[in-house]
Amino acid sequence: MPQINHLEPVQEQMKLIRKYNFPATWLMQTDAMLKGPYPAFFSRELPANNELGIWLEITRIHCEAAGVKFRGREGINWDYHSQASLTIGYSRSERIALVDASMRIFLEKFGFYPRSVAAWYLDAFTLGYLEDRYRIRATANCRDQWGTDGYSIWGGYWGGAYYPSRGNANLPGGNESGQIRVPLFRMLGSCPINQYDSSLGDNGQGVCTLEPVCCRDPRWMNTLFRNLFEHLENDYSYVQIGQENSFGWPRMKEGYLMQMKELKKIAEAGNADLMTMGDAGEWFLSHYQVTPPLAIAAMEDPNPAGRQAFWFNSRYYRVSLIRRGRHLTVRDWHCFENRYMEKYLEARCDTHAMVTDAPPVVEGFLRQKNAVPSEMKIELLRPGTAIEPEFEKFAATIPERNHFEVRAEGKQGILVWHFTEYAFSVTLQSEDPWSLVLPMERKVVRSLETEKLVLEHNGCVYEIGFSGIRRTEQTDTFIRLEAAGTEVCFYPCRPCTAALQ
C-alpha cells in the first residue's frame, strides 16, 4: 500500500485558499507542531485572513511532551481508538497536562495562543478548562453518528452551534451558569435527510456528508446547500467544509476542487459568509447569551426516494420529522436534560469505541426492528380500526422568531407541528378522533399519566409533560396518547418531580 504524502494535501488546499482569497482555519495536532514541515510552512504561507488552531487528538509524541503515558498500541505514534486518541481516554490531571503541553508548544512556535481548538470529541471537563484557562473562542466536535470509526456521538444538538453543558459536552447548557461559554460547532456537513438513518454496517453508519472524499457529485452538494441555506430565514445556518490531510490529496482532489468553485459562486452572490472557525465563534458569542433555537427544513432529497426532513433544536430538546410519500412521522426526539452527566466527565474511557448520547423519547434509528424505524405516528381512530392519515401538501415556515411550523394538508385533515424553544404542539383538524402512538418498551417507563410520562435512561430519570390528552394506553411495545380535542402539547424541559422523590 503506497504511503500517504501528508504535506501534499495541505499545500494543494493552501493554493486554492489563496487563489480564491478564502478565510480558512488550519488545525494542527501537537506532533505536527513538533515534527515535520508544518510550522515553517504555515509561518511562510498563511494568508492574513486565515488562522491557526489546535486539533487536540492525542498521539505518543504529544503524551511524551506532556509527561503522560500514551494509551495506544505499542510501536505506533497514532492510534485512532477512543481510549488512545481522545482526551476522554485520560484522567483529569492528564487532560490538563495534555492541553497545557499543546498550548505551550503552540505559543513557542507561533507566539500566541489559538482561538480555536477542536477534535472528534472533546469532553466537558477539557472544554471547561480550555475556556477558563486559555479563553478559546470556538470549538468543534464530530457530527451525529453511530459507530463510525468507533465514535458514537448521538442525540445532541443536531446542527449549527451551541454552548455545551458543563456536565456533558454533547448537550447544550440549559442556562448561563450551566454552560461552557465557547460555541461548539458540529463538523462535516451532514445531509439532514439521509445521514440520520443510513444503515448500520461494518464501520457504523454510512457517510452522507460534504467530506470531499465522499462528496464528488455537484448535484448532491448543491442540494445540501439549498436545504441548509435557502428554505428558511433562521438567524443563521451553518456548514463546515474541509478534509483532514490523512486521506491524501488524490482521494480528496476532485471533491475539494468542486466545493471550492461552488463556494466562490456562493460568496460572490452574497448568499453566505465565509468565516474562520475563530471568527464564527466570535460572531456567535456576540449574538447569543445562551444557545438559540435552530430549525432546518430539508425540502429536496438528493436521493431518488424523494423524502423531506425537518429538524428543530433548542437548548432543551431536539425533534426530527420525516416525510415519506404521504406520511409524516417523528423519527427522533431527544431531551437535553442537564442532569444527564457525560459518561467520561470524571472517568476514563477504557474501550476502543466511545459512546456519548442524550436521553431519548423517540429513537427511530437505534430502536429499529428489521430495518423498520421506530417512529411516533398519528393514527385516526375509526370504528374497529386505526389508520395513519395521508397528506398531499407539505410546507415549513417560521411564523415568528424562534418558532418553527411544519404543515401538512390532505383529504383527511390539516396537520400542524409547532415548535418553540420550551415546548411543541401537534394540531390535527380532522373529522375523526385521533391519537399519537409512541414506540416505547415498558422497561424504560417509570410512570405514565394523562399529564406526564416519566422515563429512565442510563440511570437518569426525566419527565415529559403534555396536555390535551384524554386517555393513555401502555403495552409492552408502545404508548398510545388519545387526543381530547384538536391539539396536544408537549413540554420536554419540564422539571422532573419523580427524580426528586
Side-chain angles (χ1 to χ4, degrees):
M1 186 174 181
Q3 189 172 1
I4 292 174
N5 183 335
H6 289 93
L7 179 60
E8 184 183 24
V10 181
Q11 294 171 321
E12 296 299 326
Q13 290 180 20
M14 182 64 79
K15 289 177 185 177
L16 291 167
I17 294 296
R18 295 179 71 92
K19 174 182 176 181
Y20 293 121
N21 193 30
F22 286 162
T25 297
W26 305 83
L27 303 179
M28 285 176 289
Q29 288 182 180
T30 307
D31 56 350
M33 291 188 280
L34 286 170
K35 294 189 176 183
Y38 302 102
F41 173 82
F42 285 119
S43 295
R44 183 178 67 251
E45 299 289 342
L46 191 74
N49 64 345
N50 282 212
E51 73 166 343
L52 296 177
I54 291 175
W55 182 252
L56 200 60
E57 195 165 0
I58 313 304
T59 63
R60 185 181 300 277
I61 292 174
H62 186 175
C63 284
E64 290 171 352
V68 170
K69 180 178 173 55
F70 182 53
R71 301 196 67 216
R73 290 166 287 178
E74 290 297 325
I76 59 174
N77 176 52
W78 174 75
D79 184 338
Y80 73 91
H81 290 131
S82 301
Q83 88 287 351
S85 66
L86 303 180
T87 55
I88 58 176
Y90 299 84
S91 68
R92 282 190 164 194
S93 61
E94 290 172 331
R95 295 176 205 183
I96 290 173
L98 289 163
V99 168
D100 287 345
S102 193
M103 285 291 192
R104 182 188 73 248
I105 293 164
F106 190 99
L107 179 64
E108 291 170 355
K109 296 292 183 180
F110 304 107
F112 59 92
Y113 286 128
R115 295 184 300 168
S116 302
V117 179
W120 295 126
Y121 189 78
L122 288 175
D123 60 280
F125 174 79
T126 300
L127 285 176
Y129 183 68
L130 282 164
E131 179 204 15
D132 297 339
R133 173 69 177 83
Y134 293 102
R135 301 301 177 191
I136 67 168
R137 310 301 280 171
T139 188
N141 278 351
C142 187
R143 63 182 168 86
D144 236 44
Q145 63 179 36
W146 191 263
T148 306
D149 295 328
Y151 306 148
S152 293
I153 303 169
W154 195 255
Y157 202 90
W158 193 87
Y162 63 93
Y163 293 121
S165 165
R166 288 202 169 269
N168 191 330
N170 194 43
L171 308 182
N175 53 48
E176 290 188 53
S177 63
Q179 70 186 12
I180 299 168
R181 195 162 160 75
V182 177
L184 191 158
F185 294 89
R186 302 306 299 270
M187 292 190 288
L188 303 178
S190 293
C191 173
I193 299 173
N194 298 297
Q195 179 60 59
Y196 173 81
D197 52 11
S198 57
S199 60
L200 284 169
D202 293 337
N203 192 32
Q205 289 181 300
V207 178
C208 305
T209 74
L210 272 177
E211 295 169 83
V213 297
C214 302
C215 177
R216 302 185 182 94
D217 181 354
R219 182 191 58 83
W220 192 97
M221 174 188 64
N222 288 318
T223 300
L224 177 65
F225 287 157
R226 287 194 298 271
N227 281 332
L228 292 178
F229 294 111
E230 290 188 8
H231 294 296
L232 285 171
E233 295 295 331
N234 286 298
D235 282 355
Y236 78 101
S237 189
Y238 147 86
V239 69
Q240 174 259 325
I241 292 176
Q243 189 77 66
E244 64 269 37
N245 63 336
S246 58
F247 281 97
W249 183 242
R251 289 185 63 190
M252 72 178 75
K253 178 180 178 180
E254 180 183 351
Y256 199 89
L257 286 167
M258 176 190 72
Q259 292 184 17
M260 293 299 104
K261 290 178 181 177
E262 186 60 29
L263 277 185
K264 179 68 171 176
K265 296 177 185 177
I266 291 173
E268 288 180 343
N271 293 330
D273 292 325
L274 276 59
M275 297 182 181
T276 64
M277 183 174 163
D279 286 345
E282 298 281 7
W283 179 89
F284 196 91
L285 284 161
S286 69
H287 282 73
Y288 308 110
Q289 288 298 115
V290 294
T291 301
L294 179 71
I296 298 170
M299 306 300 290
E300 301 177 62
D301 193 345
N303 294 341
R307 302 190 301 172
Q308 293 174 326
F310 310 92
W311 289 88
F312 185 81
N313 303 264
S314 83
R315 54 187 159 136
Y316 299 111
Y317 70 98
R318 82 175 195 188
V319 169
S320 178
L321 305 176
I322 185 73
R323 180 193 70 78
R324 297 182 186 88
R326 295 186 176 185
H327 298 295
L328 184 67
T329 61
V330 176
R331 65 173 175 177
D332 180 272
W333 172 6
H334 283 81
C335 295
F336 299 152
E337 169 56 71
N338 277 192
R339 291 180 301 103
Y340 187 63
M341 293 291 112
E342 186 176 333
K343 185 177 181 180
Y344 312 109
L345 184 65
E346 298 184 4
R348 293 189 326 189
C349 173
D350 289 319
T351 59
H352 288 346
M354 60 85 73
V355 176
T356 187
D357 64 355
V361 183
V362 176
E363 188 68 271
F365 178 63
L366 296 185
R367 292 176 180 169
Q368 61 179 299
K369 299 287 180 65
N370 300 318
V372 177
S374 178
E375 299 175 344
M376 183 165 74
K377 300 179 179 181
I378 292 174
E379 288 188 349
L380 301 178
L381 305 177
R382 293 178 175 176
T385 188
I387 64 168
E388 187 177 355
E390 295 185 350
F391 304 96
E392 287 81 39
K393 297 180 180 179
F394 299 85
T397 60
I398 293 182
E400 56 184 295
R401 191 171 185 269
N402 292 336
H403 289 234
F404 179 50
E405 277 191 359
V406 179
R407 182 183 180 92
E409 298 182 30
K411 295 179 180 179
Q412 294 162 329
I414 299 174
L415 173 69
V416 178
W417 289 90
H418 186 104
F419 299 91
T420 70
E421 183 175 23
Y422 302 98
F424 64 94
S425 64
V426 53
T427 303
L428 180 61
Q429 301 285 348
S430 175
E431 297 178 356
D432 300 296
W434 58 284
S435 63
L436 291 152
V437 180
L438 176 61
M440 187 74 63
E441 293 185 5
R442 192 182 291 271
K443 64 182 180 181
V444 304
V445 179
R446 276 284 196 94
S447 65
L448 172 63
E449 303 172 19
T450 55
E451 294 183 352
K452 67 179 180 180
L453 170 65
V454 182
L455 304 173
E456 183 172 359
H457 178 69
N458 290 340
C460 178
V461 179
Y462 52 106
E463 185 171 308
I464 310 302
F466 38 74
S467 61
I469 299 299
R470 173 189 294 122
R471 187 175 68 89
T472 65
E473 174 191 359
Q474 182 178 3
T475 73
D476 289 337
T477 58
F478 68 85
I479 287 172
R480 185 184 299 278
L481 306 174
E482 187 176 332
T486 59
E487 182 181 61
V488 174
C489 297
F490 293 97
Y491 311 98
C493 56
R494 177 169 166 168
C496 184
T497 54
L500 303 178
Q501 298 173 356

